[in-house]
Amino acid sequence: MFIFGKFGKSICVLNVGGTRYAFTREVIRDFPLRRVSRLHACATEKEVLELCDDYDRDLNEFFFDRHAQAFMFIMLYVRSGKLRFVPGVCELSFYTEMLYWGLESAHLDSCCQKRLDDRMSDIGLDSLSEGEMGLSGEESQSPGEQVPRTALTGRAKWLERMRQTFEEPNSSIVAQLLASVSVIFVLVSMIMLCASTLPDWDTAKRNTPSSCLGLIVIVEAVCIGWFTAECIVRFLVARDKWDFLRRPLNIIDMIAITPYYVTMAMARAGMPGAGLGVAGVILRVLRMMRVFWLMKLARHFLGLQTLGMTLRRCYREMVMLMVFVFVAMAIYSALAQLLEHGLDLGTQNHDYASIPAAAWWVIISMTTVGYGDVYPVTIGGRVLGGMCVVSGIVLLALPITFIYHSFVQCYHELKIRSARYARNLSTEVLR
């Protein structure tokens, strides 16, 4: 090897923007950054200068005229496996540094990937190649030379691959197959749950041969078994176990799975759920929580992901909307109760006997639903009703603009992310 063999140097120094880093022969050979690891295989000084800007033979020092602070953050990624943007540095400039050293946008943490997607959408690009970032062909790397997603090795890499397979349905072919199987089990489970609420279900179960009934039990057990195994595996490969337990979708999974095992345990103990009184009611309520398994489809469909992301980002606007509605409801319900019932003018409307009863009329009027089950009969009440409807339209329309723009932005971001995974998947297929 040129940098070690010819001069017998066991230490190699990287000088990046004036900041010096010293590494041993073994570290350079297995370095996670492709540009650095290629130095170990250089046989001539010409090959070395194709990878760096200058080289000092006496000190065995390699000079890179690159952003020193950006490389410092990249070195933090090498050590910890987490890559984030440098504060105060343009996202595209840092992305240039990433491409130079052999990294890609997929190595960024999810929050920084969003910032990069926003920046690229601002300039009208879905992705940036090495050529578009001003890097030469020698500086770029081929698809087959991609560095690992993290600088970790062995078991950590395997765990990361498993996590992507179960958490990112578009990350690989295997992930897509698992996602398809999960969707099928969700649909089967929902069909069985809906069928179990039909009036003739119990009669059909009594008249069904034991073999068919056993098949229904087996199908339900297989669905629950799949969801249980999926939840356990995702928990085991999660980076942060506590964060995993706090996620709403994971909480719904656990709540939906638990009643089945509780019911089975009670059945084995000779305590059927139907005769448990309050406990039986609680079990039936928890069993109906299985309907929230439909939220699992959000991992596989862009529309549901967009809706969820929009609600998370617009929670302030949603709270503001609720405040508008509750304030207007309190005012109009009090006035409606007074005009229709409280003044005692000989035409008391008993549908407005209390403010809570009038609040029902206010909410269906403000949302322009108008069931017709409750309506004012006095002149003052009808005038108030017209004002309630008009003000409801205005109040509900005020935050809609913010929510709409956030929805469009979220949809665009998810489309960019989906396109990135599709390109990675295409590369995997071609390999």
Side-chain angles (χ1 to χ4, degrees):
M1 308 303 173
F2 175 76
I3 63 174
F4 298 114
K6 186 173 182 178
F7 301 101
K9 299 283 186 179
S10 60
I11 299 297
C12 172
V13 179
L14 304 182
N15 190 320
V16 182
T19 305
R20 304 173 79 244
Y21 302 85
F23 302 101
T24 62
R25 178 201 306 262
E26 292 76 14
V27 172
I28 289 293
R29 183 186 62 225
D30 301 326
F31 209 78
L33 302 180
R34 178 64 179 171
R35 178 174 292 274
V36 177
S37 63
R38 286 169 62 187
L39 291 173
H40 188 275
C42 292
T44 64
E45 186 173 352
K46 180 181 179 181
E47 294 181 3
V48 171
L49 293 177
E50 289 177 352
L51 298 174
C52 63
D53 296 299
D54 200 3
Y55 174 64
D56 188 331
R57 294 190 178 192
D58 296 331
L59 300 177
N60 200 33
E61 186 170 356
F62 301 84
F63 295 87
F64 297 87
D65 188 15
R66 309 301 299 186
H67 197 289
Q69 192 176 8
F71 187 74
M72 185 184 303
F73 272 65
I74 292 175
M75 286 300 298
L76 291 175
Y77 162 74
V78 171
R79 293 168 184 166
S80 65
K82 295 183 178 181
L83 181 60
R84 297 186 176 93
F85 285 129
V86 179
V89 175
C90 173
E91 291 83 1
L92 297 182
S93 298
F94 186 77
Y95 189 34
T96 304
E97 298 296 320
M98 290 172 52
L99 293 176
Y100 178 84
W101 294 108
L103 299 177
E104 295 181 348
S105 60
H107 296 91
L108 286 166
D109 279 7
S110 58
C111 58
C112 293
Q113 282 192 27
K114 175 187 174 300
R115 287 175 54 188
L116 181 61
D117 292 341
D118 291 342
R119 187 71 178 112
M120 289 195 294
S121 63
D122 289 342
I123 61 177
L125 291 177
D126 286 345
S127 64
L128 292 176
S129 64
E130 290 84 349
E132 291 172 323
M133 298 303 293
L135 302 180
S136 65
E138 291 291 338
E139 294 171 348
S140 63
Q141 67 181 61
S142 64
E145 297 174 339
Q146 294 177 355
V147 299
R149 178 173 174 82
T150 68
L152 305 176
T153 58
R155 180 174 178 270
K157 288 183 180 180
W158 180 82
L159 288 175
E160 179 65 18
R161 192 176 298 113
M162 288 290 292
R163 189 196 68 80
Q164 290 184 12
T165 300
F166 281 89
E167 296 289 349
E168 303 290 351
N170 296 319
S171 60
S172 65
I173 297 178
V174 176
Q176 287 189 343
L177 291 176
L178 289 176
S180 300
V181 173
S182 182
V183 169
I184 292 174
F185 277 117
V186 168
L187 295 178
V188 170
S189 180
M190 289 301 101
I191 292 173
M192 294 186 62
L193 179 62
C194 294
S196 65
T197 61
L198 293 174
D200 298 332
W201 177 257
D202 292 333
T203 304
K205 287 178 65 176
R206 288 192 293 268
N207 298 332
T208 301
S210 57
S211 58
C212 296
L213 189 59
L215 180 61
I216 295 175
V217 174
I218 292 174
V219 171
E220 183 179 16
V222 170
C223 292
I224 297 294
W226 172 266
F227 296 138
T228 304
E230 182 185 26
C231 189
I232 291 175
V233 171
R234 290 176 53 245
F235 174 76
L236 294 177
V237 301
R239 294 173 181 170
D240 188 341
K241 302 297 190 293
W242 176 242
D243 182 65
F244 177 89
L245 294 175
R246 290 186 301 173
R247 293 179 184 175
L249 287 179
N250 297 331
I251 294 175
I252 291 174
D253 286 346
M254 289 182 283
I255 292 177
I257 292 171
T258 303
Y260 176 81
Y261 293 104
V262 174
T263 304
M264 294 295 294
M266 289 184 172
R268 286 181 174 274
M271 301 167 57
L276 290 178
V278 176
V281 172
I282 294 175
L283 280 178
R284 285 192 290 272
V285 170
L286 292 178
R287 180 180 175 83
M288 293 304 297
M289 290 291 292
R290 289 167 57 183
V291 74
F292 288 103
W293 272 340
L294 288 173
M295 299 300 295
K296 293 167 67 70
L297 300 179
R299 295 191 179 99
H300 316 301
F301 295 101
L302 187 64
L304 292 176
Q305 293 175 12
T306 305
L307 178 61
M309 184 181 294
T310 303
L311 293 177
R312 286 198 303 270
R313 293 188 182 179
C314 295
Y315 73 92
R316 290 186 180 89
E317 288 77 9
M318 299 297 293
V319 171
M320 180 172 61
L321 177 61
M322 294 297 104
V323 170
F324 288 166
V325 171
F326 281 121
V327 170
M329 192 186 328
I331 295 173
Y332 283 117
S333 58
L335 293 177
Q337 193 276 338
L338 178 65
L339 293 174
E340 292 292 314
H341 190 272
L343 293 181
D344 193 15
L345 298 178
T347 56
Q348 286 188 339
N349 190 341
H350 295 287
D351 291 332
Y352 296 81
S354 64
I355 290 179
W360 166 249
W361 167 79
V362 173
I363 191 63
I364 63 176
S365 298
M366 290 184 65
T367 55
T368 66
V369 175
Y371 290 115
D373 56 340
V374 179
Y375 54 88
V377 296
T378 64
I379 296 177
R382 291 175 179 177
V383 172
L384 182 68
M387 295 172 59
C388 179
V389 171
V390 174
S391 62
I393 294 174
V394 174
L395 290 178
L396 293 176
L398 286 177
I400 295 301
T401 303
F402 300 100
I403 298 174
Y404 166 75
H405 287 298
S406 180
F407 183 87
V408 172
Q409 183 180 9
C410 293
Y411 180 70
H412 187 63
E413 291 175 11
L414 291 174
K415 279 187 65 178
I416 293 176
R417 191 179 305 172
S418 179
R420 182 192 302 129
Y421 280 123
R423 287 193 296 271
N424 295 340
L425 185 60
S426 299
T427 302
E428 179 182 342
V429 173
L430 290 176
R431 289 178 189 175

